[in-house]
Amino acid sequence: MHSMCDLVIRGGEIFDGDGGRPFPGDVAIDGDRITAVGALNDVRGRDELEAAGLAVAPGFINVLSWAVESLIEDGRGQSDVRQGVTLEIFGEGVSMGPLNDAMKEELVSEQSDITYDVEWTTLGEYLDWLVARGVSPNVASLVGAATVRTHELGYEDRPPSAAALERMCGLVRAAMEEGAVGVGSALIYVPACFAPTDELVALARASAAYDGVFTCHLRSEGKLVLEALEELVTIAREAGTRAEIYHLKAAGRENWALFEAAIERVERAREDGLALTADMYPYTAGATGLDVTMPPWVQEGGPEAWRERLRNPATRGRVEADMTTPTKEWENLYLAAGPENILLLSFRSERLKPLTGRTLADIAAERGTSPPQAAMQLVVEDESRVGAAFFQMSEENVRRGLALPWVSICSDSSTPAPEGVFVRSNPHPRAYGAFARFLGEHVRDLGVVPLAEAVRRMTSLPAEVFRLRDRGSLAAGSFADVVVFDPSEIRDHATYEEPHQYATGVRHVLVNGTPVIRDGEHTGALPGRVVRGPGWRGTVLS
């Protein structure tokens, strides 16, 4: 007599997420949960997926995702889901709530190719609104440290009063009770760079009361990376919180040698009992806006004030002097990369979109001006921060970092598709390839870590760091987020020149028990849910 369940994944090599040896077996699923894992010869599924010769693993967790707008445009999340990603975590520094009226207006006015109405106020409301529209992957979010600062102080360069700081902490507590997984910070950007350490300690402490994590894009990833890392250790210790370094790196050729010292500092903190972890994307270029090439003072007051200042020739002269002068006062990515290594990726303006895929140095030469002046011109003309890739890391350091047992994988990107509004700009290729590149190039081809360990770092490790209950493992009782892939075939195809190319090698992907990728193609299913942190004050865990 055979027992029946909704679905069986049959005959694969099981990588359960704990990093141990894989074993042959089946996975039985009823509803949204795994009911059994092993040799299930007496179990039949109403639906069965063949996995012979393939790896079966927990769905991958993207610990740093920027899919907050791309999933509004297209809930299928194709670039990530086709790599096996079943959960997107948002909130590097800024989050989609809590918002006040001025922040809502700015969110609308700064929109580019993707447009939408802001129909929410709090972070919890945004997540619920997004899922109600329909998404394939699960979604979770940190609350942005810069978001609560902007809510109370705008873009001003000043510390909060005691009363303002208490209101900011109150916003963090409210977000945690709505299900945020922690506080996210990104300390090179305006207005986040205006925050003193004690402000961040207070926000982290408010989150830690709900078992939230504190994540940090360090105040410097270049010449001051060790000092910036020391600040994060201080925040974590004083707040009594777990901490995650976002996209661990040593940026700028002259700083590559600092990477080993940064690793040693993290490992020393871990040996001292601090729950300190990190994540990386497997590329030598990052991607952000041209705002990171310019000093914070010119950006104080927000995007419109920044662009208005740049219209003044005298101001532009002062900005150019700051951009081209080495300093320890702010994180200068213009000097860290160099204009020949700054590749323009995305514009709002139809007139400027033809410049996509060219370097800042090239555009400056064409315009007969200096690269700093060209950068300022582009920001003013495009009325945006202008998206760009910055080539500034060493391949050797990337491989060294990806080998570390406390490093997860992220895309630090959105979830586009090679269609519709998405092809109007270029993402960094990590949007389509981060997880497949790690598994293909780094794990299979270079042997940086064994496959079982690689799976652990994309599943149970981030689930533990972000306290994601019943996610990140193939075990009875866990949510049925599952990826079935071919370890010998998985690979990325996206390049900087042609980024809109899906990764290949993933056969099936299930989210909450529902197939979203079947035989390599998207099914159109949208079973994604809000995954809430341990501080959630709701009644039913989702």
Side-chain angles (χ1 to χ4, degrees), residues 223-501:
K223 66 178 70 175
L224 296 179
V225 63
L226 299 180
E227 292 86 341
L229 186 50
E230 207 59 52
E231 179 187 36
L232 179 58
V233 169
T234 297
I235 292 167
R237 282 220 175 98
E238 293 191 8
T241 187
R242 303 185 310 289
E244 170 97 355
I245 303 162
Y246 265 158
H247 44 60
L248 177 68
K249 63 172 77 85
R253 182 180 293 271
E254 70 278 11
N255 304 313
W256 290 353
L258 297 174
F259 194 62
E260 202 58 43
I263 292 171
E264 289 171 7
R265 182 67 190 95
V266 173
E267 295 193 328
R268 195 162 75 249
R270 288 170 57 82
E271 287 167 7
D272 290 344
L274 204 65
L276 182 58
T277 50
D279 52 72
M280 294 177 68
Y281 43 79
Y283 298 84
T284 57
T288 185
L290 291 183
D291 49 330
V292 299
T293 67
M294 301 180 204
W297 63 261
V298 78
Q299 301 176 56
E300 186 179 0
E304 285 188 23
W306 171 36
R307 294 192 289 264
E308 189 55 42
R309 289 191 188 101
L310 293 182
R311 291 186 176 94
N312 182 317
T315 304
R316 288 201 302 274
R318 184 181 161 201
V319 171
E320 179 167 12
D322 281 6
M323 289 172 68
T324 54
T325 303
T327 180
K328 293 186 176 182
E329 297 302 311
W330 58 284
E331 182 82 334
N332 185 339
L333 266 64
Y334 175 80
L335 287 180
E340 69 285 354
N341 293 315
I342 300 174
L343 186 74
L344 284 305
L345 297 178
S346 58
F347 297 91
R348 286 176 80 177
S349 161
E350 290 299 326
R351 186 175 68 79
L352 295 177
K353 282 185 184 292
L355 301 179
T356 301
R358 294 175 60 186
T359 67
L360 181 60
D362 181 32
I363 292 167
E366 180 178 271
R367 290 183 169 212
T369 189
S370 68
Q373 292 291 337
M376 289 182 269
Q377 289 172 7
L378 293 173
V379 165
V380 171
E381 292 170 26
D382 201 52
E383 296 187 339
S384 86
R385 58 199 286 256
V386 181
F390 292 76
F391 292 83
Q392 51 181 351
M393 284 86 83
S394 80
E395 187 64 51
E396 184 182 356
N397 281 349
V398 170
R399 293 175 187 173
R400 172 76 172 101
L402 291 173
L404 297 165
W406 39 267
V407 169
S408 303
I409 307 300
C410 70
S411 75
D412 194 6
S413 196
S414 59
T415 53
E419 60 188 55
V421 300
F422 296 118
V423 298
R424 292 161 56 82
S425 62
N426 280 359
H428 187 300
R430 64 193 182 187
Y432 284 88
F435 296 84
R437 185 179 182 84
F438 176 54
L439 287 170
E441 178 176 335
H442 291 90
V443 176
R444 179 187 62 235
D445 299 344
L446 296 173
V448 168
V449 291
L451 181 55
E453 168 65 3
V455 168
R456 182 188 71 83
R457 303 241 244 94
M458 296 185 289
T459 58
S460 67
L461 174 61
E464 178 187 352
V465 169
F466 289 87
R467 297 293 190 260
L468 307 173
R469 180 169 160 173
D470 295 341
R471 308 275 175 184
S473 67
L474 292 185
S478 292
F479 285 101
D481 299 338
V482 188
V483 54
V484 180
F485 65 98
D486 187 337
S488 67
E489 290 297 326
I490 192 165
R491 67 189 68 245
D492 64 307
H493 300 281
T495 64
Y496 294 96
E497 295 74 27
E498 298 288 341
H500 290 287
Q501 300 186 73

